[in-house]
Amino acid sequence: GFFFVTVGLQLDFRVILDNLSTILLILPTVMLIKAIIIGLILFKQKSHNIIKTSLALLGLGEFGLVILKMAEQNKILEEQLAQTLSATIILSLILTPFLVNNLHFLKNVINKYILRKEIKHSPEFFQSLEDHIVIIGYGRLGRHVADELTKRSLEYIVVEGNQARFD
């Protein structure tokens, strides 16, 4: 708590207001780049929780505030730029708990509107299925089977009563 109070007292709110548009441009850009990098790392490792993990780790860390302060003290960054970047990091630290508390909702929004994944299937969808494999249960073994089927480009559906296993 003391660290954040100290940082908050050092912020010049005039600089923040003067550079609000820059802050609001930098924040989503950096968070998106970070999410993409995390997603690529997790995709390479065949993780099942790529979206949720990427969202949970979006926040810019408080260590960045320490680095910015040192850069400002050593005249590497101008005071105004350091203040703008510090405000960006603090705003991300404020937003991160809200992101984490709404991971399931955000994952569904990303799946539906960005990745265009169908979240719930209609009866017509199930009636149209042919030559597919049915996996009953999505525990450790079910996930392994699904991974192997995906690698072989085989179509499958999963029947699982516990939605949390998909998260």
Side-chain angles (χ1 to χ4, degrees):
F2 181 71
F3 174 75
F4 291 108
V5 170
T6 304
V7 170
L9 290 173
Q10 293 176 358
L11 282 177
D12 182 352
F13 290 99
R14 278 190 325 250
V15 174
I16 294 170
L17 290 175
D18 291 344
N19 296 293
L20 190 59
S21 60
T22 303
I23 293 168
L24 294 177
L25 178 68
I26 292 171
L27 182 62
T29 302
V30 172
M31 291 176 98
L32 180 63
I33 291 168
K34 189 174 178 184
I36 290 170
I37 291 169
I38 292 168
L40 289 172
I41 291 168
L42 294 175
F43 182 77
K44 187 176 179 181
Q45 297 180 7
K46 308 282 190 242
S47 175
H48 293 282
N49 293 313
I50 294 172
I51 294 173
K52 289 176 87 171
T53 304
S54 296
L55 288 170
L57 297 175
L58 278 183
L60 308 175
E62 55 272 359
F63 187 65
L65 295 170
V66 175
I67 293 171
L68 285 175
K69 192 63 179 168
M70 290 175 59
E72 182 185 352
Q73 289 173 344
N74 290 309
K75 308 291 187 228
I76 296 170
L77 291 177
E78 296 175 12
E79 181 182 353
Q80 183 173 347
L81 179 58
Q83 286 280 321
T84 302
L85 294 174
S86 293
T88 303
I89 292 172
I90 290 171
L91 186 56
S92 86
L93 292 171
I94 292 169
L95 288 175
T96 299
F98 296 105
L99 291 172
V100 171
N101 285 336
N102 294 292
L103 284 179
H104 186 69
F105 170 76
L106 293 170
K107 177 186 172 190
N108 287 340
V109 168
I110 290 169
N111 278 332
K112 184 173 182 181
Y113 296 106
I114 297 174
L115 300 178
R116 304 280 188 215
K117 285 186 177 178
E118 201 169 333
I119 297 171
K120 298 215 180 214
H121 297 293
S122 65
E124 293 82 22
F125 170 79
F126 289 109
Q127 290 171 352
S128 70
L129 289 175
E130 289 182 357
D131 299 325
H132 63 281
I133 298 165
V134 178
I135 301 172
I136 307 295
Y138 200 60
R140 189 173 43 161
L141 180 60
R143 284 179 194 228
H144 178 70
V145 170
D147 288 342
E148 289 300 317
L149 293 172
T150 300
K151 288 177 190 175
R152 293 181 170 102
S153 300
L154 296 171
E155 290 189 21
Y156 64 90
I157 62 170
V158 177
V159 178
E160 171 62 61
N162 184 358
Q163 177 64 34
R165 292 195 181 218
F166 292 101
D167 298 334

